[in-house]
Amino acid sequence: MYSNLLNQIESAFYEGFDDNSFQKHGKGYVGPLNIEDEENHYLVKKVIVGFDSKEITANVRKSVLKVSIDDEKGKPSEVFSLRIDPDAVDVTKISSKLKNGILKIEIPKSENSKTVKISVD
């Protein structure tokens, strides 16, 4: 288990995290957050090591994305929250995936937030 945690933490650095601040959180560790602005979506990456996907909850309510992990007693403990603009993103199409201790949340941009090129004559 311990070497698996180290491997997951090490893989976070290969995923573009340059902050090595990890905090003990129950049986695992929670590390840096990174947000990337891609062409059609925002990509939120959070290091959450030592937990499986069944122990992580992500939801959007009142324009706030919250991510929690289950503590030792099975109660949710908030890891982070982000305020999102429901006019700029399509909250109904948000997807997430946990791989090698990195939670990736893809938040698709709405048509309202995409750049429209205007020709200048």
Side-chain angles (χ1 to χ4, degrees):
M1 171 83 175
Y2 180 72
S3 65
N4 188 28
L5 288 176
L6 291 178
N7 289 338
Q8 290 178 19
I9 290 171
E10 185 177 277
S11 73
F13 295 105
Y14 295 118
E15 289 283 336
F17 293 98
D18 55 6
D19 180 4
N20 62 359
S21 59
F22 287 87
Q23 295 179 340
K24 180 81 170 130
H25 208 293
K27 66 178 186 173
Y29 292 86
V30 175
L33 173 76
N34 187 25
I35 302 173
E36 298 172 8
D37 186 351
E38 304 288 335
E39 183 177 341
N40 293 317
H41 64 275
Y42 298 100
L43 181 61
V44 178
K45 296 191 293 185
K46 178 71 173 173
V47 177
I48 302 177
V49 177
F51 298 90
D52 63 35
S53 59
K54 295 174 190 152
E55 298 170 306
I56 299 172
T57 305
N59 57 51
V60 176
R61 183 171 181 242
K62 294 186 178 182
S63 302
V64 177
L65 168 67
K66 287 187 179 185
V67 174
S68 303
I69 55 177
D70 291 345
D71 66 13
E72 294 86 10
K73 297 178 182 177
K75 294 185 179 183
S77 176
E78 187 173 314
V79 174
F80 73 93
S81 63
L82 295 173
R83 183 162 297 283
I84 58 175
D85 182 353
D87 292 329
V89 299
D90 187 348
V91 296
T92 63
K93 295 184 179 174
I94 295 174
S95 62
S96 64
K97 183 176 207 166
L98 179 68
K99 184 177 180 183
N100 294 329
I102 299 171
L103 176 66
K104 294 181 181 180
I105 303 173
E106 189 173 300
I107 306 172
K109 294 179 180 178
S110 71
E111 293 299 319
N112 296 339
S113 69
K114 293 182 183 174
T115 303
V116 177
K117 189 169 186 168
I118 301 170
S119 66
V120 179
D121 296 324

